[in-house]
Amino acid sequence: MGSAVRKGKAVLPAEQAARPGREQPPRAATEDYHHEAQNANNGQAITASCKNKDTDLQFKIQAYIDKNTVMIFSNTACSLSAKVKELFKSMSVPYCSLELDQTEDGQKLQDVLYELTMETSVPIVFVQQKQIGDYEKTLKAHKEGKIQKLLETKGHDHMQDSYDYDLIVIGGGSGGLAASKEAAKYGKKVMVLDYVTPTPQGTRWGLGGTCVNVGCIPKKLMHQAALLGQALQDSRKFGWQFEEKAVKHSWETMTEAVQNYIGSLNWGYRVSLREKKVTYENAFGEFVAPHTIKATNNKGKEKFYTAEKFLIATGERPRYLGVPGDKEYCITSDDLFSLPYCPGKTLVVGASYVALECAGFLAGLGLDVTVMVRSILLRGFDQEMANKIGEHMEEHGVKFIKEFVPIKVEQIEEGTPGKLKVIAQSTDGREIIEGEYNTVLLAVGRDACTRTIGLDKVGVKINERSGKIPVSDEEQTNVPYIYAIGDVLEGKLELTPVAIQAGRLLAQRLYAGAALKCDYVNVPTTVFTPLEYGACGFSEETALEKFGEENIEVYHSYFWPLEWTVPSRDNNKCYAKIICNIQDNERVIGFHVLGPNAGEVTQGFSAAIKCGLTKAQLDNTIGIHPVCAEIFTTLSVTKRSGGNILQSGC
């Protein structure tokens, strides 16, 4: 019969635990051993003679015991079995339970168990390879503190030796790689499992995760390509002369160069892991039992590994709309950066930073771009800044369709690109519109990659709605030996540098005796829209809600970059704002800037904010002239005053 999975335990069929011919991790006392029927009083692990006619069943039983910290041989209809499981749940101790009445050869297994343990009925419990016995004996051992003592020993040398690795990292993105290399630095045996499930369009990529392959790196390079186009236009005013017809952009040249660079990074990560003696496998990792994971490569070959600790760093993937034609005809950011042809007239669906960044650089490359927005831009960011970004994009040719969502995508013509028809409905349901585009890019959010990696089999809790994993302030899940970092965390920032920092610090705490935890407060970030947006700390809305309007002072001003004055473009579009807590000596609790090189500006100020920067200290800082960041040393107008903040020069 098959297996069943129940909350708090992994229930496996016997043939899966020790299938003949399957690759088994090295185990103590599984072969060439003698027969000893032990009872609970002597506290020894089961061993058996190879000459016994039931050797295969004994081998299966021994494999279960060797592989699991707590092993319960059970029966689904047995009330005492249920009680013993509740006991271990109350102790927050993961266990593996084999339901004999649900398992092939279950009766034979029970007969062999009787011969080996002299226990006449289930449950039969083992802790750290030591036979405890039935429910009454287990309860007694618990009351006397014997079970806790066994658990605290971590299995003595026998259990430690039985693990294949000290740490297995599931996910080869920025955070997972950082953690794995840091752990290896302290002499730990580490494995990284990384596997990219192809997109519906068949796109896949190499080691390094979202940021390197389909996120930050290609996004900023293509953003730079668009900025160069603007710089060409500006250059005429600085004396450069060229024929307009001679200037054109090649999508194929750009993507080839970007992908070549990404390929070099993929190779570099593999070399780095090898140099650090970290084992890497291009395989999909899935928990199958406590401390045990199955790795499946792209050919379907399965291997099984055990580890003392695990780190989940699987990240997220783009979400689809769930409407007819979305997966058949639409692409996401997972496909865009390696798209072998120019996308042409493009509809971007969504209002996230991914949506606006992609729409921005596509428009900057000269494409016809429309953004379809369900509600607000950049949810979670300062809304004044978000709206200014939208206004700037509209002024530079990006069209917006607001309060509409696609309900169907149809293919009109095949091709590279082809032609698609998008049918959309207003959010109030009163209006239907249609439009034709060459490409439809979905950027409506991302989903955590946690639902298919077997977390239910080891008892790791997730937010059922979002798939995110709740963790402690030390990135520990509810299962003590399993940790998580990066975008899969509930309520944490989804940023590459955050995952890297969390991964390194976690490894240092686990293996180097460190105590420093990742600080998720005052983390700087940048949205690489055509008018870049840098932020650190609270948005204005959040600050007002948290501290009260009477306790907040907002200083702000427009500014005009000197480089833009000669081309006479975009005056009073760049904007600076700081949010100060009046009750805390006007400490800066929010920093926001719209303008060129916003990320470079924000990175520097974020260090000062982390150190407790106040408005007075900013005022006492001498600016560098003439640069954009100088504006933050001269802010004097408050929103409360209603004073004029328009600029007429640099």
Side-chain angles (χ1 to χ4, degrees), residues 445-508:
R446 300 173 65 81
D447 292 322
C449 300
T450 57
R451 300 187 189 275
T452 60
I453 60 173
L455 295 184
D456 54 338
K457 296 175 184 175
V458 287
V460 174
K461 294 178 181 177
I462 65 171
N463 181 314
E464 289 301 330
R465 186 183 66 83
S466 67
K468 299 272 190 171
I469 303 175
V471 294
S472 69
D473 61 356
E474 294 188 337
E475 288 78 43
Q476 188 176 43
T477 72
N478 64 299
V479 177
Y481 63 89
I482 299 178
Y483 297 80
I485 59 171
D487 292 359
V488 298
L489 299 189
E490 184 176 50
K492 298 292 191 292
L493 294 167
E494 299 175 7
L495 298 169
T496 294
V498 173
I500 293 172
Q501 178 84 328
R504 287 175 178 163
L505 293 178
L506 173 61
Q508 290 168 13

Side-chain angles (χ1 to χ4, degrees), residues 18 131 137 140 172 218 293 298 364 417 485 503 590 642 647:
Q131 182 181 333
K137 292 171 185 173
K140 183 174 184 247
I293 199 163
N298 58 9
I485 59 171
Q647 300 292 307

Side-chain angles (χ1 to χ4, degrees), residues 620-640:
N620 207 29
T621 299
I622 297 173
I624 300 171
H625 188 70
V627 299
C628 293
E630 180 184 16
I631 189 68
F632 286 98
T633 67
T634 60
L635 291 175
S636 59
V637 179
T638 67
K639 275 196 172 183
R640 199 189 308 271

Side-chain angles (χ1 to χ4, degrees), residues 213-498:
N213 294 282
V214 291
C216 319
I217 298 300
K219 175 266 305 288
K220 192 176 182 193
L221 290 174
M222 293 189 179
H223 170 65
Q224 174 65 11
L227 293 181
L228 290 173
Q230 179 65 62
L232 277 172
Q233 299 303 316
D234 290 351
S235 70
R236 292 178 179 275
K237 292 288 187 177
F238 287 93
W240 290 94
Q241 298 177 7
F242 52 85
E243 291 294 328
E244 187 72 38
K245 293 181 180 178
V247 178
K248 61 179 181 179
H249 181 265
S250 169
W251 176 272
E252 292 78 9
T253 300
M254 176 185 70
T255 53
E256 182 181 2
V258 168
Q259 289 304 312
N260 285 343
Y261 176 63
I262 290 172
S264 72
L265 294 178
N266 298 147
W267 174 250
Y269 291 133
R270 297 187 70 159
V271 171
S272 179
L273 289 179
R274 186 166 64 244
E275 289 175 346
K276 297 288 193 300
K277 295 182 171 55
V278 175
T279 302
Y280 162 65
E281 281 205 21
N282 181 205
F284 184 85
E286 178 185 358
F287 288 100
V288 293
H291 293 279
T292 307
I293 199 163
K294 177 175 70 176
T296 307
N297 67 15
N298 58 9
K299 295 181 180 179
K301 184 178 179 181
E302 297 178 354
K303 294 182 181 179
F304 295 79
Y305 300 102
T306 60
E308 182 183 10
K309 292 181 174 66
F310 291 84
L311 175 60
I312 301 166
T314 48
E316 297 179 306
R317 295 291 293 271
R319 183 179 305 143
Y320 284 81
L321 293 169
V323 302
D326 62 345
K327 291 185 178 180
E328 292 86 352
Y329 307 123
C330 301
I331 66 170
T332 70
S333 56
D334 281 357
D335 306 292
L336 177 64
F337 303 112
S338 59
L339 200 67
Y341 54 85
C342 180
K345 182 181 179 181
T346 301
L347 174 68
V348 178
V349 181
S352 64
Y353 68 90
V354 175
L356 298 188
E357 287 175 337
C358 292
F361 73 69
L362 289 174
L365 298 177
L367 302 183
D368 183 340
V369 179
T370 301
V371 179
M372 185 174 287
V373 180
R374 179 176 61 86
S375 54
I376 62 173
L377 301 180
L378 294 177
R379 186 178 301 278
F381 289 88
D382 188 286
Q383 283 302 290
E384 179 183 27
M385 309 303 277
N387 291 330
K388 289 181 183 297
I389 289 171
E391 291 166 8
H392 180 267
M393 291 178 68
E394 281 194 277
E395 290 170 3
H396 285 260
V398 177
K399 297 180 284 291
F400 282 83
I401 301 174
K402 297 181 179 179
E403 297 185 349
F404 273 84
V405 292
I407 57 174
K408 189 176 184 180
V409 180
E410 299 175 347
Q411 186 179 64
I412 301 173
E413 295 177 10
E414 293 185 357
T416 52
K419 187 177 290 186
L420 303 172
K421 181 168 76 171
V422 177
I423 303 169
Q425 185 178 52
S426 60
T427 54
D428 62 11
R430 295 178 180 177
E431 188 177 355
I432 300 289
I433 60 173
E434 295 182 359
E436 292 185 4
Y437 306 91
N438 298 118
T439 299
V440 177
L441 172 66
L442 304 181
V444 293
R446 300 173 65 81
D447 292 322
C449 300
T450 57
R451 300 187 189 275
T452 60
I453 60 173
L455 295 184
D456 54 338
K457 296 175 184 175
V458 287
V460 174
K461 294 178 181 177
I462 65 171
N463 181 314
E464 289 301 330
R465 186 183 66 83
S466 67
K468 299 272 190 171
I469 303 175
V471 294
S472 69
D473 61 356
E474 294 188 337
E475 288 78 43
Q476 188 176 43
T477 72
N478 64 299
V479 177
Y481 63 89
I482 299 178
Y483 297 80
I485 59 171
D487 292 359
V488 298
L489 299 189
E490 184 176 50
K492 298 292 191 292
L493 294 167
E494 299 175 7
L495 298 169
T496 294
V498 173

Side-chain angles (χ1 to χ4, degrees), residues 55-88:
T55 295
D56 287 346
L57 295 180
Q58 292 168 344
F59 179 88
K60 293 177 182 180
I61 291 169
Q62 188 66 50
Y64 273 113
I65 296 166
D66 283 345
K67 284 172 53 181
N68 297 290
T69 304
V70 176
M71 183 65 216
I72 304 172
F73 295 94
S74 176
N75 186 308
T76 55
C78 174
S79 61
L80 294 180
S81 294
K83 286 183 179 180
V84 84
K85 293 168 195 170
E86 287 301 321
L87 173 64
F88 285 103

